[in-house]
Amino acid sequence: MFVIACLLACLSAAHALRVGVGIADVTGPPAEIGFMGYANFEQVGHGIHLRQFARAFVLADDDDDSDNTRIVFVSVDAAMMGNGVRKEVLKRLQKRFGDLYTDNNVILSGTHTHSTPGGFLMDFLFDLPILGFVKETYLALVTGILKSIFIAHNNLKPARMEYSEAELLDANINRSPTSYLRNPPEERAKYKYDVDKTLAQVRFLGKENNIIGVINWFAVHPTSMNNTNRLISSDNVGYASILMEKALNGNSTLPGKGNVVCAFASTNLGDVSPNTRGPRCEFSGRPCDQEKMLCTMHKERCFASGPGVDMFDSTRIIATKLYNTAMTVLNQPGEDLTGPLGIVHQFVEMPKEVVSPYDPVSETFNSSAKVSGCLPAMGYSFAAGTTDGPGAFDFTQGTTTSNPLWNAVRDFIAEPTKEDIECHAPKPILLATGRAKFPYEWQPKVVSCAVARVGGLLVAAVPGEFTTMSGRRLRNVVARAAAAASATATASRVVLAGLSNIYSDYIATPEEYQAQRYEAASTIFGPHTLDIYLNKYVELTDAVMKGQRVDPGPSPPDLSEQLISLVPPVLWDAAPWGKEFGDCVKQPQKYYSYGDVVTASFVSGHPRNSARAGRWLAAVERLASAPDDAWTTVATDADWETKYIWQRNSKILGTSYAVIEWEIPVGTPPGTYRIHHYGNYKYILGGIYPYHGFSDSFEVT
């Protein structure tokens, strides 16, 4: 018995886990930059509702500092992650840490909010709605992600990991239910819902059972904020993170400043919407046609809305559901999954892959047949958009035939070959992005695939948006591959980390692909895209379970020297006659109570003049009682209750204003408060200079 106890102790020591967490601001330029997600040229930012953050988790094996026993996972409040951002983050990490952090062990996962600045992906199609590459967005992401990893690296401490999960209802629906029904009935019968309703949670606990950090995965699009929104927002999952961090760090802790870090990361959200009222016709309010998502009235759009009275209320409701469920799970006993670390990564050139197709009924690969990937291409229904954000022109869902006029436009850009058309069938090709060369690559051909093992947990990091059934198939094959690879060291839990490292649009099942709704039309490598991923992740899972290395694969092209931007620069700023930057030109009232909205307006410089990473543009301050008589920050432009709205007054004169709103939350201590505005202005003769200003004080009673 003594020998067995000693052996178990030795095995435990050999896999002593250390965990560090870090959070940093990655907020991009708040004004006059297009948002990434809805591909709406009119959705240009004009302020901040919720700031963007990177939440980093560094995991290390106490006795081994090689790159395959050290794992970095970063959940970023951004639409997705791109190879250019990741490459620069790795370059700077290696400058400081050598080969400790490499392509092999760093996973950057975007939450997929559609209300944050774009222009950072370096693939032309994705940056096109933002008018090209935006250096400010790119640098904000790189420096913030890097800072979050530095903080996590420097805070490594002994920890253990627990897993738990719970069912969460009324927070998501399938936005393409007819496509889901294309999947085999035998497969669908295994599942209760047509979307995943399970919130999966990993928590890291210190020696005193104190919570170090939490990662939650729940399938839902962060599209509670619709395409009319003009304020930077991390949307439902971002606000859920803030709520949980405030609960665990203390409600007085400002967003981004606490020691406990809580992420709500993306997973297989491809066909999953938070707009739980479902699709309705714009004016009549009638349900839309389920298959085509059309309305009977001329030019009446079909779109879905959330459970609230407006998009802000819907965001709050969905976020609160996420937060409440996560806290319930957190307070339940967890399954200890602490164990050895491992990770494998491979770049994969999707059009060159030839694999065996997967049979979802028998759950086997058909080795007697072969299927292959295609050069990237977008179908007609891609332009139709979704019920979360309808597209332009007269494109409709489920289009399987082409139009000579649009084909002529397509061919002017890049004409697909006969092989392309046959490969993508039944998708009618609207954009042959894999053939387009001008001005540079339109969509990636090489993607990033990784599987990380943390004891009894496997994390499959995928470079796109898997639909519900695609994600289920992937989790199933990874679990079976893990069990087959090692009879003694199985991984009992599998999660899918979506939108990781490189963005390659959607991944629908082959059956869903036949319907050619938005998700299928955006499955860029053809009908067998999922088959390729299933084969690849089986290989990677086998390798990580056996502790083997894999071939790194072909590196994605470096496009950094070919980028273009049509985003106009800030020319100059000017204050109105008789005013200075930071002057409050609209003062608050003298007295307020709970639920009231305090509003103040300031003479402003353009918020793109300085990144102000980690430094806010607006703050609410409270006067402390004697003898201190000092002003203390109680809320910033990262808080839910505040809005920073930038308004251009004159492009010619260079004048603008910042409107700052604060909705006083219940429980705010009575006292004396003021609004504080910070900024930078660009002098017409050169130079950028800081300024700040205060409103008059007011009383909260």
Side-chain angles (χ1 to χ4, degrees):
M1 185 66 70
F2 175 76
V3 173
I4 294 174
C6 289
L7 181 60
L8 290 173
C10 290
L11 287 172
S12 176
H15 300 300
L17 180 67
R18 287 184 296 151
V19 175
V21 300
I23 185 170
D25 193 292
V26 294
T27 306
E32 297 188 332
I33 298 296
F35 286 168
M36 179 63 202
Y38 289 115
N40 182 351
F41 284 92
E42 296 180 358
Q43 194 188 18
V44 176
H46 282 285
I48 299 173
H49 182 221
L50 293 173
R51 280 186 167 267
Q52 302 169 249
F53 292 101
R55 294 173 169 87
F57 302 81
V58 175
L59 285 63
D61 191 310
D62 231 4
D63 298 325
D64 192 339
D65 267 343
S66 63
D67 66 354
N68 67 325
T69 53
R70 183 171 285 235
I71 299 168
V72 177
F73 179 81
V74 188
S75 179
V76 187
D77 289 331
M80 61 281 291
M81 278 293 99
N83 181 62
V85 170
R86 182 171 181 263
K87 185 175 181 179
E88 184 63 23
V89 168
L90 288 171
K91 177 182 175 182
R92 299 188 188 191
L93 282 172
Q94 289 163 7
K95 188 174 181 180
R96 175 173 291 197
F97 299 115
D99 291 333
L100 192 58
Y101 301 114
T102 67
D103 263 328
N104 193 55
N105 65 352
V106 175
I107 299 170
L108 308 182
S109 174
T111 62
H112 203 39
T113 168
H114 285 38
S115 291
T116 55
F120 60 91
L121 287 169
M122 298 189 183
D123 292 296
F124 185 69
L125 182 67
F126 302 142
D127 287 346
L128 180 61
I130 292 86
L131 302 182
F133 178 70
V134 180
K135 189 174 182 179
E136 299 107 302
T137 308
Y138 170 79
L139 289 177
L141 288 169
V142 169
T143 56
I145 292 169
L146 199 67
K147 183 178 179 181
S148 72
I149 296 172
F150 285 166
I151 294 170
H153 173 94
N154 292 328
N155 284 328
L156 283 167
K157 59 191 69 173
R160 59 189 180 84
M161 182 182 76
E162 290 184 351
Y163 176 93
S164 193
E165 61 185 35
E167 187 177 74
L168 170 55
L169 303 178
D170 301 322
N172 60 0
I173 62 170
N174 195 309
R175 70 185 187 193
S176 289
T178 56
S179 288
Y180 179 86
L181 292 174
R182 295 282 188 126
N183 294 303
E186 299 92 337
E187 182 181 32
R188 289 187 279 112
K190 300 173 186 176
Y191 304 99
K192 187 176 180 181
Y193 305 105
D194 63 358
V195 292
D196 287 337
K197 300 286 187 178
T198 299
L199 184 144
Q201 183 183 97
V202 167
R203 54 184 180 254
F204 302 104
L205 305 173
K207 286 185 175 180
E208 307 299 323
N209 278 335
N210 57 301
I211 297 170
I212 297 172
V214 182
I215 309 175
N216 303 283
W217 285 276
F218 182 75
V220 65
H221 251 79
T223 50
S224 292
M225 300 296 290
N226 63 42
N227 64 9
T228 67
N229 174 47
R230 301 293 185 268
L231 300 180
I232 288 176
S233 173
S234 54
D235 213 289
N236 45 45
V237 293
Y239 184 39
S241 293
I242 291 172
L243 287 171
M244 196 170 191
E245 286 165 347
K246 278 184 171 288
L248 298 178
N249 288 308
N251 283 324
S252 62
T253 306
L254 297 175
K257 300 299 181 183
N259 293 321
V260 180
V261 176
C262 305
F264 283 79
S266 62
T267 183
N268 55 319
L269 49 70
D271 53 359
V272 189
S273 171
N275 295 312
T276 52
R277 286 183 180 172
R280 297 275 174 172
C281 296
E282 185 175 9
F283 304 117
S284 65
R286 296 171 182 169
C288 311
D289 172 77
Q290 275 289 344
E291 184 63 30
K292 297 291 184 180
M293 292 302 171
L294 294 176
C295 297
T296 55
M297 290 179 61
H298 182 59
K299 293 187 177 179
E300 188 180 18
R301 295 181 303 168
C302 171
F303 59 85
S305 60
V309 297
D310 58 23
M311 60 183 168
F312 292 98
D313 193 35
S314 293
T315 301
R316 179 190 59 80
I317 291 170
I318 299 299
T320 303
K321 288 177 180 288
L322 290 167
Y323 158 71
N324 286 337
T325 303
M327 290 300 291
T328 299
V329 172
L330 190 69
N331 292 318
Q332 294 173 347
E335 178 183 354
D336 195 323
L337 296 182
T338 311
L341 301 185
I343 185 168
V344 292
H345 172 272
Q346 188 175 71
F347 288 117
V348 179
E349 190 168 1
M350 294 292 286
K352 292 187 176 180
E353 289 291 304
V354 179
V355 300
S356 298
Y358 179 75
D359 182 353
V361 177
S362 64
E363 298 185 338
T364 59
F365 291 95
N366 182 3
S367 58
S368 63
K370 295 296 177 184
V371 294
S372 62
C374 313
L375 281 175
M378 302 295 280
Y380 271 59
S381 295
F382 145 75
T386 71
T387 54
D388 289 340
F393 303 105
D394 292 323
F395 292 99
T396 60
Q397 295 272 5
T399 301
T400 55
T401 57
S402 61
N403 176 289
L405 175 61
W406 285 114
N407 283 354
V409 175
R410 173 200 68 193
D411 294 348
F412 178 78
I413 299 169
E415 185 177 359
T417 65
K418 180 182 177 182
E419 290 76 16
D420 294 334
I421 294 170
E422 291 175 350
C423 188
H424 281 275
K427 176 200 291 179
I429 296 176
L430 178 64
L431 292 172
T433 52
R435 298 285 176 189
K437 300 288 192 294
F438 179 82
Y440 46 89
E441 181 181 85
W442 280 49
Q443 284 182 305
K445 300 180 182 70
V446 176
V447 300
S448 166
C449 300
V451 175
R453 179 191 179 194
V454 187
L457 175 73
L458 286 173
V459 179
V462 299
E465 304 177 55
F466 277 59
T467 62
T468 297
M469 195 62 88
S470 292
R472 288 169 173 171
R473 290 183 193 177
L474 183 67
R475 291 198 301 265
N476 289 341
V477 299
V478 166
R480 288 199 302 275
S486 175
T488 58
T490 59
S492 58
R493 300 292 182 178
V494 180
V495 295
L496 187 155
L499 299 122
S500 293
N501 298 339
I502 289 175
Y503 182 61
S504 60
D505 264 284
Y506 282 74
I507 300 90
T509 68
E511 295 83 0
E512 293 163 352
Y513 189 89
Q514 303 305 308
Q516 276 304 298
R517 290 178 57 78
Y518 178 85
E519 295 81 11
S522 303
T523 297
I524 66 175
F525 300 116
H528 300 292
T529 300
L530 178 61
D531 289 319
I532 296 170
Y533 281 121
L534 296 180
N535 279 267
K536 181 55 60 180
Y537 280 86
V538 166
E539 293 176 18
L540 298 180
T541 302
D542 183 72
V544 78
M545 295 303 296
K546 294 177 179 177
Q548 298 172 344
R549 295 275 187 170
V550 297
D551 183 87
S555 296
D558 183 357
L559 304 174
S560 58
E561 299 299 320
Q562 304 175 52
L563 304 174
I564 61 171
S565 178
L566 299 178
V567 177
V570 178
L571 298 178
W572 65 78
D573 293 297
W577 181 259
K579 301 292 183 181
E580 299 289 338
F581 289 103
D583 283 355
C584 187
V585 294
K586 180 183 178 183
Q587 296 288 354
Q589 301 173 26
K590 292 297 183 184
Y591 299 97
Y592 292 92
S593 188
Y594 304 142
D596 292 341
V597 177
V598 182
T599 303
S601 297
F602 298 84
V603 177
S604 174
H606 201 298
R608 281 176 56 198
N609 287 329
S610 173
R612 298 193 63 82
R615 298 173 296 151
W616 42 78
L617 291 158
V620 180
E621 298 175 343
R622 181 173 184 266
L623 181 64
S625 56
D628 293 337
D629 289 332
W631 291 92
T632 303
T633 301
V634 297
T636 73
D637 53 17
D639 280 280
W640 176 264
E641 294 81 14
T642 63
K643 291 186 179 74
Y644 163 82
I645 304 165
W646 182 79
Q647 296 178 340
R648 167 72 77 186
N649 181 253
S650 171
K651 286 188 176 182
I652 296 174
L653 297 178
T655 54
S656 60
Y657 295 90
V659 178
I660 298 169
E661 297 179 358
W662 178 45
E663 183 177 355
I664 303 172
V666 174
T668 300
T672 303
Y673 293 80
R674 70 183 182 187
I675 305 295
H676 195 165
H677 169 50
Y678 302 83
N680 296 79
Y681 70 91
K682 188 171 186 178
Y683 187 45
I684 192 170
L685 297 180
I688 294 175
Y689 303 94
Y691 69 86
H692 70 109
F694 307 99
S695 72
D696 291 344
S697 61
F698 54 90
E699 299 296 320
V700 175
T701 58

